[in-house]
């Protein structure tokens, strides 16, 4: 893995400050033992040490562990101890007062944070200990701007008398990392809804499913759906990837529709989202949208799936 990815993390001051604020509220100088899981270059673990943690155990299985080791040495952080393995592989791990893990992606669970922190609560954390982040809420909102849709249907405009609809359909069955603005969302994003909530460490279901319904007050065309998450690190300290939140290195996700849905005033759209994540198989996403008329009768249904978007 190139260092450039980690540079984007280090440069994310919103992210860094949020984790620093959360740690500062739970670390007792000279007493607290911290485990930093997925430590990367060691930034968050070093923060914990600077805040007075008695001991910090950093778990990092990737090649960047060598950078973390050198960084710990450069900072003379004698309280920090690097374990070059995944925390789930550690046999008889030392028990800690605080587990912190910044293993979040643009899709919140693509780095398997649910499984990792379920294991951490069971084997790494002392009774009564703290997990950071504590909770993740996943949001969805209809996209009423055609900006990204036009980008994805460029296959229609190639010309030369060629039909590239097969490739277009594959494009529309993928999920895209994009920055969206509130004015591209239904009701400026104010009507965004939580479709899934996970309490990390307690919830062990790596497969997620949820739905949300949106009724339009005026005629609107829905081109897809925007996704973001809100992480409660500890009570009073949150981190969000919402379009109107302070900008981070994370962006929103765009879930396309194969055909835009033209909703008349009083009609609604129901979106169902499903995900499945594992270390072995990665992350699978699927989403379904149903257009309902004013009387609640179904007018149209579209089912999208990442499996349809991969080249065999």
């Amino acid at each position: 893995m190139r260092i450039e990815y980690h540079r984007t993390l280090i440069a994310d001051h919103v992210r860094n400050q949020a984790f620093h604020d959360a740690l500062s509220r739970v670390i007792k100088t000279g007493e607290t033992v911290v485990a930093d899981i997925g430590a990367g270059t060691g930034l968050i673990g070093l923060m914990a040490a600077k805040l007075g943690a008695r001991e910090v155990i950093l778990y990092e299985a990737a090649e960047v562990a060598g950078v973390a080791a050198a960084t710990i040495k450069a900072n003379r952080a004698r309280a920090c101890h690097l374990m070059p393995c995944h925390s789930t592989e550690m046999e008889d791990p030392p028990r800690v007062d605080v587990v912190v893990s910044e293993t979040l992606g643009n899709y919140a669970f693509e780095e398997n944070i649910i499984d990792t922190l379920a294991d951490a609560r069971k084997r790494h954390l002392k009774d009564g200990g703290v997990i950071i982040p504590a909770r993740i809420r996943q949001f969805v909102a209809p996209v009423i701007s055609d900006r990204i849709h036009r980008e994805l249907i460029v296959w229609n405009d190639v010309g030369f008398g060629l039909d590239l609809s097969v490739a277009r359909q594959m494009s529309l069955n993928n999920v895209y990392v994009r920055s969206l603005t509130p004015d591209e969302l239904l009701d400026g994003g104010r009507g965004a809804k939580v479709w899934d909530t996970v309490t990390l460490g307690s919830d062990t279901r790596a497969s997620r499913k949820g739905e949300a319904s949106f009724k339009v007050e005026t005629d609107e065309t829905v081109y897809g759906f925007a996704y973001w998450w809100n992480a409660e690190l500890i009570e009073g300290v949150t981190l969000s990837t919402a379009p109107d939140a302070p900008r981070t290195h994370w962006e929103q996700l765009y879930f396309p529709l194969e055909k835009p849905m033209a909703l008349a005033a009083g009609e609604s759209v129901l979106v169902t989202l499903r995900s499945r994540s594992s270390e072995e198989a990665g992350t699978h996403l699927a989403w379904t949208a149903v257009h309902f008329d004013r009387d609640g009768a179904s007018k149209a249904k579209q089912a999208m799936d990442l499996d349809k978007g991969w080249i065999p």
Side-chain angles (χ1 to χ4, degrees):
M1 179 179 289
R2 296 183 183 276
I3 197 65
E4 175 63 13
Y5 169 70
H6 292 278
R7 185 194 63 78
T8 65
L9 302 183
I10 297 300
D12 188 340
H13 300 298
V14 173
R15 161 196 179 264
N16 299 344
Q17 190 65 56
F19 276 90
H20 186 275
D21 290 348
L23 288 168
S24 69
R25 297 191 185 195
V26 297
I27 289 176
K28 296 179 180 178
T29 301
E31 297 181 23
T32 306
V33 179
V34 177
D36 177 9
I37 295 178
T41 57
L43 174 66
I44 292 176
L46 286 164
M47 282 181 182
K50 284 283 189 180
L51 286 166
R54 176 166 62 86
E55 189 175 10
V56 183
I57 303 160
L58 298 90
Y59 293 92
E60 179 53 64
E63 292 86 350
V64 75
V67 178
T71 303
I72 290 168
K73 183 177 180 181
N75 283 273
R76 297 182 176 86
R78 294 181 178 83
C80 293
H81 310 285
L82 178 67
M83 304 295 177
C85 66
H86 198 284
S87 61
T88 58
E89 299 168 342
M90 184 72 172
E91 295 184 8
D92 194 22
R95 295 279 180 165
V96 301
D97 305 293
V98 175
V99 168
V100 60
S101 182
E102 198 289 83
T103 50
L104 295 161
N106 292 295
Y107 180 71
F109 306 131
E110 65 190 64
E111 295 186 44
N112 305 307
I113 194 172
I114 294 176
D115 287 343
T116 296
L117 291 186
D119 175 78
R121 177 173 289 281
K122 181 179 179 181
R123 301 193 310 118
H124 293 253
L125 195 66
K126 295 177 182 176
D127 291 342
V130 174
I131 287 181
I132 302 172
R135 188 169 294 103
I136 304 288
R137 293 182 177 89
Q138 303 196 87
F139 288 82
V140 64
V143 175
I144 58 171
S145 164
D146 68 350
R147 174 176 63 90
I148 303 174
H149 178 75
R150 284 187 286 106
E151 172 190 336
L152 300 181
I153 61 169
V154 68
W155 308 96
N156 295 346
D157 303 323
V158 171
F160 307 109
L162 299 174
D163 180 355
L164 297 178
S165 58
V166 171
R168 183 191 65 221
Q169 184 181 29
M170 294 176 72
S171 286
L172 294 168
N173 278 273
N174 272 280
V175 177
Y176 296 87
V177 179
R178 293 290 188 272
S179 287
L180 290 129
T181 58
D183 63 357
E184 294 182 295
L185 308 178
L186 181 67
D187 194 30
R190 291 181 292 275
K193 295 184 178 179
V194 176
W195 66 272
D196 182 48
T197 300
V198 175
T199 299
L200 293 166
S202 300
D203 199 327
T204 60
R205 294 181 297 109
S207 294
R208 315 300 306 175
K209 181 180 179 180
E211 63 182 32
S213 180
F214 301 89
K215 184 177 181 178
V216 300
E217 301 300 323
T218 59
D219 294 357
E220 298 283 5
T221 299
V222 175
Y223 294 90
F225 298 90
Y227 161 95
W228 62 87
W229 50 259
N230 179 294
E232 179 186 342
L233 302 188
I234 61 168
E235 186 175 354
V237 180
T238 60
L239 186 59
S240 175
T241 64
D244 60 351
R247 184 151 189 180
T248 67
H249 76 284
W250 295 289
E251 297 177 88
Q252 297 81 53
L253 294 182
Y254 177 73
F255 288 74
L257 287 174
E258 289 186 11
K259 297 179 181 178
M261 286 185 170
L263 277 65
E267 294 186 334
S268 61
V269 60
L270 173 72
V271 59
T272 302
L273 298 107
R274 300 175 299 281
S275 76
R276 184 177 65 253
S277 299
S278 71
E279 191 72 35
E280 301 77 25
T283 297
H284 174 264
L285 296 165
W287 59 107
T288 302
V290 184
H291 178 181
F292 292 98
D293 67 17
R294 295 181 183 89
D295 298 320
S298 173
K299 294 181 67 174
K301 180 178 180 179
Q302 297 183 41
M304 279 63 64
D305 192 310
L306 278 186
D307 285 349
K308 299 179 185 177
W310 289 107
I311 297 174

